[in-house]
Amino acid sequence: MLIKNARDYEGRICDYLIADGKIRAIGTDLPEAGEVINAKGLTILPAFIDTHCHWRTPGFEYKEDIATGSAAAAAGVYTFVNLMPNTKVCSSAEIVHEVEEKAREIGLCDANQTVSITKNFDGHTIDHLLDLPDDIKFITEDGNGVMNNATMARVFAVAAE
């Protein structure tokens, strides 16, 4: 795909060659490849990511749910959000996968659901971390504290594995 005549962040007119979902070249007089879009009068800007976001699913959807959170992110030009686990507490792979799948279905932005460091934010139980699949990479106690150094040392050991 070639996007022609778009302004960049400095106001210069540029063409953007896109292949396999990535910008492959930026310049002028780029070769046409596939679909050509004339973006005259439009500006292409990088998107944002939100590394600390609260969509409140599951459990507090009356505050915000995946659909409204996705719409808000997209309206703010966010293409990725990292969701905190302090809903009705995300301490399982099943909840992670449900939230991320629903976000994919809505399709407005990518979402990563984090898992609580301690089970249900109890401050000390970490057994749920031992069973997490490899596709879950982020844990956080988001606003809650791990109750002691020994528990946190065990968490670091689990995370290192």
Side-chain angles (χ1 to χ4, degrees), residues 73-84:
V77 196
Y78 286 83
T79 60
F80 175 86
V81 295
N82 193 50
L83 304 171
M84 297 298 106

Side-chain angles (χ1 to χ4, degrees), residues 41-107:
L42 301 175
T43 302
I44 291 182
L45 296 171
F48 300 108
I49 64 168
D50 188 339
T51 60
H52 187 112
C53 190
H54 298 269
W55 280 1
R56 305 300 184 195
T57 297
F60 297 110
E61 288 84 358
Y62 65 92
K63 293 181 180 182
E64 182 163 60
D65 62 17
I66 298 169
T68 60
S70 293
V77 196
Y78 286 83
T79 60
F80 175 86
V81 295
N82 193 50
L83 304 171
M84 297 298 106
N86 61 344
T87 56
K88 289 270 174 140
V89 189
C90 180
S91 294
S92 73
E94 293 76 25
I95 293 173
V96 168
H97 293 141
E98 287 172 15
V99 169
E100 291 176 354
E101 178 58 31
K102 182 66 173 175
R104 273 191 294 280
E105 288 172 12
I106 292 168

Side-chain angles (χ1 to χ4, degrees), residues 52 82-85 114-118 121 138-143:
H52 187 112
N82 193 50
L83 304 171
M84 297 298 106
T114 63
V115 173
S116 63
I117 291 174
T118 63
F121 292 134
F138 299 94
I139 59 175
T140 177
E141 207 69 349
D142 186 45

Side-chain angles (χ1 to χ4, degrees), residues 3-72:
I3 300 174
K4 296 184 66 63
N5 305 312
R7 290 194 182 279
D8 69 7
Y9 66 96
E10 292 181 335
R12 297 177 297 211
I13 304 296
C14 299
D15 298 340
Y16 295 78
L17 181 63
I18 300 171
D20 300 320
K22 296 185 189 257
I23 297 173
R24 300 296 180 180
I26 300 172
T28 55
D29 299 317
L30 296 177
E32 291 189 10
E35 181 182 6
V36 176
I37 297 172
N38 186 352
K40 184 176 181 177
L42 301 175
T43 302
I44 291 182
L45 296 171
F48 300 108
I49 64 168
D50 188 339
T51 60
H52 187 112
C53 190
H54 298 269
W55 280 1
R56 305 300 184 195
T57 297
F60 297 110
E61 288 84 358
Y62 65 92
K63 293 181 180 182
E64 182 163 60
D65 62 17
I66 298 169
T68 60
S70 293

